[in-house]
Amino acid sequence: NCKLLEVLNVGNNKLVDHFPCMLRDSNSLRVLVLRFNQFNGNLTCNVTINSWQNLQIIDIASNNFTGMLNAECFITWRGMMVADDYVETRRNRIQYKFLQLSNLYYQDTVTITNKGMEMKLVKILRVYTAIDFSSNRFQGMTPYTVGDVSSLYVLNLSHNALEGPIPKSIRMLQMLESLDLSTNHLSGEIPSELASLTFLAALNLSFNKLFGKIPSINQFLTFSADSFEGNRGLCGFPLNNNCESNGSESLSLLPPTSVPDSDSDYEWKFIFTAVGYIVGAAN
């Protein structure tokens, strides 16, 4: 019933509840913070084209949410699709006048995780956008529709059970400054399209099942090895294991799927025999 509610912050409590789907029709809500509680269940709200239309920051990290990410949500979050990067002015901040006959304003604050560190936003710009779903139990594929929130600054989906490839649609997030997909079950190669994210200052893809050569252009030349550790199939700069230029590269970059145990001894004997034959022929 709070028709003018713009910020709802109940973080760092001991609340046990489900996701507040009843707020999906709010035309005013811009910031939703549920972090560090005991919320549970999934995010399957019956959304419409007008659901969450002004939402610009959603932080539900460190709860017990489960299930798959709702692909329809990313389509309706039009508050994260601002076309212009407005100049920081008073009217572009979320603020509340509490003395009608004065110029005093109440500035709301929220704490979010940005670039691996907690950061307090004292003045929340109306164009600042962030999604933090980290440290839950989400599973399944990362929705391709994540690329629709084109003005997103921060995306943190770390410490879940997400699987499958990194969506190439992330290349559409041209304002993205921080991307954390670490500690999941993501597989496949790192999309070369991510190199087009020229504003990306922090990247963490560690502890997944990624394989292949790390893109060696643009922003990827600035990231440390910590961004890619825990992916045994990755190679290239900044890791110490260089990608081979010969035929053995394809073997070293295969994802960690093995042959059946019953045939494993035979398969390995065959591989070693073949390698020995090739070396002997070369000599």
Side-chain angles (χ1 to χ4, degrees), residues 51-147:
S51 298
W52 316 102
Q53 58 182 342
N54 286 315
L55 193 65
Q56 63 184 76
I57 296 176
I58 177 170
D59 185 349
I60 59 174
S62 300
N63 281 285
N64 296 314
F65 288 113
T66 58
M68 301 179 66
L69 297 180
N70 190 348
E72 295 180 351
C73 286
F74 297 100
I75 300 175
T76 61
W77 292 344
R78 286 181 287 175
M80 303 182 188
M81 304 176 190
V82 180
D84 299 319
D85 190 11
Y86 295 109
V87 177
E88 181 178 349
T89 61
R90 176 173 295 179
R91 64 178 181 177
N92 285 330
R93 301 170 187 163
I94 296 179
Q95 57 188 352
Y96 314 97
K97 196 170 185 178
F98 61 88
L99 290 178
Q100 295 298 323
L101 299 180
S102 71
N103 291 321
L104 297 179
Y105 285 83
Y106 163 67
Q107 301 282 357
D108 193 46
T109 63
V110 296
T111 300
I112 66 170
T113 301
N114 184 17
K115 302 177 183 179
M117 299 180 295
E118 286 195 350
M119 179 178 68
K120 179 174 288 188
L121 297 179
V122 179
K123 298 179 180 179
I124 307 172
L125 291 181
R126 293 183 183 272
V127 293
Y128 190 88
T129 54
I131 295 175
D132 192 343
F133 287 0
S134 61
S135 300
N136 282 282
R137 293 186 289 164
F138 291 116
Q139 55 187 318
M141 306 276 284
T142 307
Y144 189 84
T145 52
V146 68

Side-chain angles (χ1 to χ4, degrees), residues 176-191:
L176 198 64
E177 296 181 358
S178 177
L179 175 62
D180 192 344
L181 303 177
S182 63
T183 317
N184 279 286
H185 304 306
L186 300 176
S187 58
E189 297 184 346
I190 300 175

Side-chain angles (χ1 to χ4, degrees), residues 1-48:
N1 295 324
C2 301
K3 302 298 183 182
L4 301 179
L5 185 66
E6 292 194 12
V7 177
L8 176 59
N9 185 352
V10 296
N12 297 280
N13 284 286
K14 297 180 180 180
L15 298 177
V16 181
D17 205 342
H18 296 292
F19 187 76
C21 289
M22 68 280 193
L23 296 175
R24 63 181 177 270
D25 297 324
S26 171
N27 292 324
S28 59
L29 188 65
R30 293 182 177 273
V31 179
L32 177 61
V33 179
L34 309 179
R35 63 185 290 121
F36 286 109
N37 279 285
Q38 299 176 39
F39 286 93
N40 56 79
N42 55 49
L43 304 187
T44 309
C45 302
N46 295 322
V47 298
T48 65

